Amino acid sequence: MAILFTDGTEYSTTKLDMINDCLLSIGEMPYPTGTLITDIQTGEDGDVARRMVEETMIETQSRGWFFNTDYNYRFVPTANAITLPPNVLRVDMYDKRYTLRGNRIYDKEKFSFDLGDDITELFGDIIWVVDYEDLPPNAYGYIAMRSARKFQQKVIGSPELATFTQVDEQDALLNMQREHMQYQDYNIRAKELSRHTNAYLKG
């Protein structure tokens, strides 16, 4: 997906764009539009940037934000078990007897993935992996900047040569946190008449 500005220019939000931001941060030429991620050769700077971007995506999203968290999510067993899709990062079950192990819900009292015939549903908060193109602009900007700053540090290791500083990264994080809190305020008001959840509270 590309966001269009009023002058017709595009703000792209792809994985390749994040990788290119990393390369530009150390003065390397970016990959041309249309380059396939799978064509990036192992061991070159682009491959290091790719792994840094992927690591930062998971690191950031696993905290749980307004754009990738579903509250009061209903889990329904199939054949006495609950198996979750691979794009689930974390689950916080309301009944602490149950937890996520691998991609299945585990009963800590029975020491089993078999939940039994009497369990027809469970509830909890669930955190998903959101793809690059579906990230809100503030989230995309923060992840891109943090990836580039970490990439600079790994490849160059010189603060004097860094074009993305920790101050820039902190500003980007604050923008994302402000947007998160706006959504959280709405959720809190909406839940005053329903059950409370242990949703994400800080960045």
Side-chain angles (χ1 to χ4, degrees):
M1 181 186 72
I3 299 172
L4 286 177
F5 293 105
T6 54
D7 63 358
T9 57
E10 291 185 354
Y11 173 75
S12 297
T13 56
T14 67
K15 183 177 182 179
L16 182 63
D17 291 316
M18 280 197 188
I19 293 172
N20 281 340
D21 283 344
C22 291
L23 295 175
L24 288 168
S25 73
I26 62 168
E28 291 284 344
M29 286 292 293
Y31 293 106
T33 301
T35 299
L36 298 177
I37 305 297
T38 52
D39 288 341
I40 298 176
Q41 297 298 309
T42 301
E44 64 184 37
D45 284 342
D47 179 54
V48 178
R50 175 189 60 78
R51 286 186 279 113
M52 191 64 69
V53 165
E54 291 170 351
E55 173 189 301
T56 307
M57 274 281 284
I58 299 302
E59 171 195 49
T60 301
Q61 292 199 44
S62 64
R63 301 177 188 177
W65 298 89
F66 68 93
F67 60 85
N68 72 331
T69 304
D70 285 331
Y71 304 114
N72 203 30
Y73 190 87
R74 180 171 177 258
F75 301 88
V76 179
T78 300
N80 296 343
I82 297 175
T83 302
L84 301 177
N87 62 329
V88 172
L89 283 173
R90 202 171 81 225
V91 169
D92 192 356
M93 304 300 293
Y94 295 157
D95 186 338
K96 298 308 176 185
R97 170 177 173 173
Y98 303 98
T99 189
L100 180 66
R101 288 196 181 176
N103 67 334
R104 293 183 292 172
I105 299 299
Y106 181 76
D107 187 329
K108 294 185 290 185
E109 291 186 6
K110 293 171 57 180
F111 309 106
S112 174
F113 293 105
D114 188 333
L115 305 179
D117 296 329
D118 57 324
I119 301 298
T120 58
E121 61 182 16
L122 293 171
F123 290 88
D125 298 337
I126 188 167
I127 298 174
W128 308 88
V129 177
V130 173
D131 207 356
Y132 300 85
E133 291 83 356
D134 296 324
L135 288 170
N138 280 332
Y140 181 92
Y142 170 70
I143 294 172
M145 187 165 293
R146 180 167 175 78
S147 299
R149 200 267 302 167
K150 290 168 64 179
F151 176 74
Q152 284 176 336
Q153 189 175 36
K154 183 176 182 66
V155 175
I156 299 178
S158 172
E160 291 76 15
L161 296 178
T163 55
F164 290 98
T165 67
Q166 288 185 336
V167 174
D168 297 324
E169 181 185 321
Q170 185 64 26
D171 287 342
L173 176 60
L174 287 174
N175 286 335
M176 185 166 65
Q177 287 175 328
R178 289 189 190 100
E179 187 174 5
H180 176 79
M181 292 309 298
Q182 289 174 350
Y183 279 88
Q184 283 297 92
D185 288 343
Y186 172 81
N187 287 334
I188 290 171
R189 289 195 299 269
K191 289 175 182 176
E192 284 178 350
L193 299 179
S194 62
R195 71 179 299 170
H196 294 284
T197 71
N198 50 358
Y200 175 86
L201 294 178
K202 58 183 179 180

